[in-house]
Amino acid sequence: MPTILLIFLPLVPMMASVPGYLLAKKSKSAAYAVLISICLAATLLSGFLFLRALNYRFLTQESPGICALGLSLRADGFRSLYLFVASFMWLMTSLFTPEYLAHGHRHGRYIFFTLFTFGATLGVFLSDDLITAFVFFEIMSFTSYPWVAHEENPAAMRAAATYLAIAILGGMAMLMGLMMLRPMLGTLSFERLLSAAQEMPDKGQLYVPSLLILAGFGAKAGMFPLHVWLPKAHPVAPAPASALLSGILTKVGVFGILVISCRVLLHDAAWGNLLLILGLITMFAGAFLALLSVDLKRTLACSSMSQIGFILVGIGMQGLLGEHNALAAQGTILHMLNHSLIKLTLFMAAGAVYIGVHKLDLNEIRGYGRKKPFLHLCFLIGAASISGIPLFSGYVSKTLLHESIVEYVVHLQHLGENAFWYQTAEWVFVITGGMTFAYMLKLYFALFWEKNNRRQTDMDSLCRYLKPLSRFALGGAALVLFILGIRPQLSMTPLANAALPFMNAHAPEHAVDYFSAVNLLGTGKSLLIGLLLYLTLVRLWLVQKQADGKSHYVDRKPIWLDLEDSVYRPLLHLVVAIGGAFATLCHRLPEFDPLRHMVVIPAKGVAVLLNGLPDLLFFGMRYLGKLFARVFSGLLDCIAALMGRTVFAPPKPQQPVPIGNRFTYTLGRIFNFLAGIFKRMRRHSQPVVRKYTYLFAALWEEIKTNFNKVSQSLSFSLMLFSIGLLITLVYLMAR
Amino acid sequence: MLIFAVLFPMAAGALFPLFRFKEDKSRGLYVMAVVLITSAVALPQIILGTAAREILFQITETLPIAFRLDGVGRIFAGIVAVLWPLSSLYALEYMQHEKNLDAFFSFYTICFGVTLGIACASNLMTLYLFYELMTLITLPLVMHGGSQRSVRAGLKYLYYSIGGAALAFIGLVYVIYYGGTTEFAYGGVSVFTAGQTEHNMRIGYLICFFGFGVKAAVFPLHDWLPDASVAPTPVTALLHAVAVVKSGVFAIIRITWFTFAPALLAGTFAQYIPLALCVFTIVYGCTMALKEQNLKRRLAYSTVSNLSYILFGALLMTSQGLRGGLMHMVYHAVMKITLFLCAGVYLQKGVEYVQDMRGLHRAMPVATAVFALGSLAMTGIPPLLGFGSKWALAEAAVFEGGLLPVAGIVALVISATLTAFYLIIPSVSTYVSRGVKAYAPGELSSGWKALSPLLIISLVMMFFSFWPMLLTDFITYAAAGGL
């Protein structure tokens, strides 16, 4: 088995993107054929790799020296499973795209970036060290941007800008983390990370780089508090792209988090607690946002965020449970898998709705699914699965995750420790499960049972609403999901077990009975809460009667809940403002000439003052007595003169004079006034009128001119200096 | 042969007034012939390496003007010899409607020889001579536009450079007085490391650093560079992104590693002060670039920041750091010249400010694509070029440890983030935003002479992104003192 196949897997889609782009200008269908055939080939190849991996025959390839720091790739159980899932999803969405984008624009660009992102995503899942993962991860971040911006309307552009900003910042945080981690551990290869980390004398040092890397991957996964881009970017992308963004690109983030949690900080309780808390917040916040949303794709996007929270809880529990984390590990991997397939089905179903109505608002699309059994069935499978209804696949993974929390609670109680917080966590888990059920019920009833207020007859008459190719894609995805769920012991358990070694976990000693009474009861609790939530929150609060007597979904999402608008953007503006002020300050600094600004100009000022001082003293000494006499005798004259000068003074004709500033003007006025007084006391043969305001203004202008000439005069002195030095050289040489 | 490579373009450029070209075409042929012959002579020696030391003449018995290529010199000479013909071709298209072309190309060609002279200099005296010559030769190029702004920028450049040269001269006197020889030797001249003069030597080094730091645009001395971007784009692209500024950096590498010993400087104020300034400049340049709306000035500030990356690497005083610095010297030259050439293509069609770039990709598809690629590389998005050098620098800094190197890593990451914001966001806006004006497809496309250098350089960039080993191996060798 030639290992070169591994490098082909990411490289071929990337290289095929160029012919795909060029073909789209000539013939759209040919370009889509390229896209689909590449995806098909990748699916077959990765399926083959997965079959090999099931027999523990892994392919490894190291190619040092290419792409900056060398690439190393490996397809073991988990990675080849996810390669297969990714290829399958790309294949299905590619089959769905031609119809979805039939009336759209920029097919070439879409195909180009879809293929490029495909290659990069495969690259991340194949990578065998963090550098390789980072290289492909960054490519993926940037090439998926055009998906979000595809529609090019204001909402899409704004969401895309947020996406890009978070991608850049997350990538840089990760880079920083990698730069710190590599010298600490001496390696970034997945194989050697664990042993290197365990040999570290002080494990505390590992937290900072791990947190930075977590920020990078977590931003892509949609982890709280870096989730802000997700509920905005996923709905505005075309539906096939949303399916990939939700189903796979978030999993790339999870993949990275898994690497950190299972290779660098394996079985670390503090890290497990952190991920557990973040996971609980993410899943609750996501479910809450999904419950309040009245937009089909936005609900699904928020749901994605919530499900990522479930997965993070699983990873957290792996850390907490330590050696005995088989349930958590299985739950994590299976929930990843399920969520990928569920979101594939649901987003394509949403795409089918969009193809028919070109709207996503629940009020506009309600009733669209009536009399469309195929769409109904596919959506139902997805919805039941994500809600965790027994016999559907989501039930299995959620049960495993739930069990892992229960296991830890029991473990703590066994040790006699306080398990209150973990019991709370279990309740949050159960309630969030209920909320999942509630928002899926909301979508399901709105789409398939309620009647549209205006266009129900149009919708019912739409029989041929999907072309065969799209029908195949949607149906195929739903079918796979369905098959996985009915016999979990046969289908899901082996998949999970094949992936366990990646997480350094072992298969459980005895097989889990998914349909035991305890587990069914737990799920029943969750579903009951969901039903209650739907009946109260959705039916009574979200649905309101309109003036015309018809019911209507109302958007109740509080604005302050949007972290982006309430925190991140203001913060960014603040940072930009501070940075700008700082830069300006530094920029002005070189103009500061110590000699001139601190010696010459103050000296000039002092000289002017000193120059005037003897005059002042002279007048003072000589006329002090006269002054008193005059003042007291001619007080009235004085006041009259003062009035004449100030209040009743005629407006002066405008002259082209130096303007100066407020300070010189005030100073000048004071001097003018004093001089006026003196003038009245002294008899002049030829009265000299000195306008001090102008004098000061002129002085000010001169200072400003000098200020501008700073650099020139400084350099002039340096030039003289260098001439002197040249003479030194001549002297040296003569010697 | 080194002497020929240095003197031939200088002589051919100086002979320009004799020819009085009537037609653009014959002038173009002459320029291209001179430049290509020089590169053809220089490149074999650069690639294969030559140990020969060629003496032009002796000033005194101990002060020869001599040329010799070693590893570091080969890297710099290689950059110059590859990029010069390409940007000359670009200049022929770009400048065709300008006046005074004979003078322009005369100085442009002379400058090639001068830059090669700096790269091949065998001792500090030679380097200093050509360094001074470069100031004088490039001044008319900066002022070529003839407007008030360009004259002011030119004068500012002159004053800064002469001031810097004066300081560098003091350093030269220090070297002659204490060291006896100005000849370059890897690891510094051994005489310095012994005796009572250590403290004096460190002060001499600092003076020298600030002298050469003018052209390397270290923070308080950087102000001429953004102003000089009023020069015609072939000048900004080649001289203010590659030749002139890299000469400053190269000279600092020479004095740090080949004249004053790293062993003498490491761990003293003579290392910490320059290093701190570099770390500061890295962040400062990016912040200013983000603030700037004029595209060429923005790129110039970006150069300010990136030059300090190179110096940061060299000043870590480890061969790993020098390796990172040299890598960034090569990579930055390639990336920044790409961006500047694109900016020139934009400018010719009246796009001068960043906000004018919106929706431009329909009008000039090639230039915008190359610009986008260049900005991704500049930011350091893997696997493109910038990532490799930034990683190497950070790795060296982590290896070194200590406060300033770690601050340097933080500065690197901040600067990479800011680079993403000031370069990637505008280049994305050329694709997705709708500008004030709706362009027709290919409305503003340029001639082949302007576009082919762009494409060639971006292909080179892509090639070295995916197979950097060809370069990095040699750079590692050169940074360890190989010839």
Side-chain angles (χ1 to χ4, degrees), chain B residues 372-395:
Chain B
L373 199 65
S375 12
L376 286 172
M378 201 70 214
T379 312
I381 301 305
L384 296 171
L385 274 187
F387 174 64
S389 55
K390 286 182 191 183
W391 182 268
L393 283 171
E395 206 172 43

Side-chain angles (χ1 to χ4, degrees), chain A residues 361-393:
Chain A
D361 191 286
L362 277 189
N363 294 308
E364 304 275 351
I365 60 167
R366 66 202 293 197
Y368 179 76
R370 291 165 66 94
K371 302 187 183 166
K372 295 186 177 62
F374 174 72
L375 186 63
H376 193 143
L377 194 65
C378 292
F379 191 91
L380 192 60
I381 293 174
S385 193
I386 200 171
S387 314
I389 294 173
L391 291 179
F392 289 92
S393 63

Side-chain angles (χ1 to χ4, degrees), chain A residues 6 93 105 108 131 294 346 349 378 380 400 509 540 558 589 594 623 659 670 673 706:
Chain A
L6 285 191
T93 50
H105 64 158
I131 293 286
V294 291
L346 288 180
C378 292
L380 192 60
L400 282 170
E509 288 87 21
L540 298 181
L589 215 56
Y623 292 107
I659 295 163
I670 294 166
F673 169 60
N706 284 339

Side-chain angles (χ1 to χ4, degrees), chain A residues 245-548:
Chain A
L245 281 168
S246 266
I248 281 293
L249 264 64
T250 53
K251 301 302 178 299
V252 174
V254 174
F255 174 78
I257 298 175
L258 269 178
V259 171
I260 296 299
S261 311
C262 302
R263 309 253 157 178
V264 180
L265 293 165
L266 182 69
H267 304 158
D268 186 305
W271 184 255
N273 272 327
L274 174 73
L275 281 179
L276 180 68
I277 291 167
L278 288 176
L280 288 172
I281 297 176
T282 311
M283 76 184 193
F284 188 81
F288 186 65
L289 290 175
L291 200 57
L292 296 191
S293 168
V294 291
D295 177 290
L296 174 57
K297 273 169 83 178
R298 195 184 146 84
T299 311
L300 292 178
C302 294
S303 150
S304 281
M305 178 183 155
S306 169
Q307 301 304 314
I308 295 296
F310 280 91
I311 298 170
L312 288 177
V313 167
I315 303 177
M317 289 319 294
Q318 282 185 47
L320 285 171
L321 283 166
E323 292 290 328
H324 308 286
N325 62 4
L327 290 184
Q330 280 188 337
T332 308
I333 173 70
L334 286 180
H335 205 66
M336 281 173 78
L337 178 68
N338 286 333
H339 179 240
S340 290
L341 294 171
I342 291 168
K343 277 291 139 67
L344 177 67
T345 314
L346 288 180
F347 267 112
M348 283 204 290
V353 174
Y354 189 80
I355 289 172
V357 201
H358 290 287
K359 289 276 175 358
L360 288 169
D361 191 286
L362 277 189
N363 294 308
E364 304 275 351
I365 60 167
R366 66 202 293 197
Y368 179 76
R370 291 165 66 94
K371 302 187 183 166
K372 295 186 177 62
F374 174 72
L375 186 63
H376 193 143
L377 194 65
C378 292
F379 191 91
L380 192 60
I381 293 174
S385 193
I386 200 171
S387 314
I389 294 173
L391 291 179
F392 289 92
S393 63
Y395 166 75
V396 175
S397 49
K398 280 195 179 174
T399 304
L400 282 170
L401 291 175
H402 183 231
E403 274 300 289
S404 69
I405 304 181
V406 174
E407 194 185 332
Y408 192 60
V409 170
V410 172
H411 174 70
L412 282 184
Q413 282 167 344
H414 191 71
L415 287 178
E417 285 176 31
N418 184 3
F420 171 74
W421 291 110
Y422 296 97
Q423 280 166 328
T424 318
E426 188 205 339
W427 271 104
V428 173
F429 189 94
V430 169
I431 291 170
T432 313
M435 283 157 84
T436 313
F437 187 49
Y439 64 71
M440 285 324 287
L441 275 181
K442 176 185 77 180
L443 292 184
Y444 176 67
F445 278 113
L447 265 177
F448 296 99
W449 295 99
E450 290 168 13
K451 281 191 176 167
N452 198 295
N453 288 345
R454 289 182 288 129
R455 309 168 50 190
Q456 191 58 50
T457 44
D458 295 349
M459 287 178 173
D460 286 347
S461 62
L462 201 66
C463 295
R464 300 173 62 82
Y465 57 95
L466 271 186
K467 288 181 181 160
L469 207 60
S470 313
R471 213 172 261 260
F472 173 75
L474 178 56
L479 189 67
V480 171
L481 194 57
F482 184 65
I483 291 173
L484 274 181
I486 35 176
R487 295 293 299 277
Q489 294 290 11
L490 287 180
S491 56
M492 295 177 81
T493 316
L495 288 182
N497 287 344
L500 285 182
F502 182 80
M503 290 178 266
N504 288 314
H506 310 289
E509 288 87 21
H510 47 83
V512 185
D513 184 7
Y514 297 121
F515 300 108
S516 68
V518 186
N519 290 338
L520 286 173
L521 198 70
T523 309
K525 214 158 47 179
S526 200
L527 294 181
L528 193 67
I529 292 171
L531 198 63
L532 283 177
L533 273 175
Y534 178 72
L535 290 177
T536 52
L537 205 64
V538 176
R539 298 270 24 138
L540 298 181
W541 190 51
L542 219 54
V543 180
Q544 296 281 318
K545 289 267 187 228
Q546 288 285 84
D548 54 3

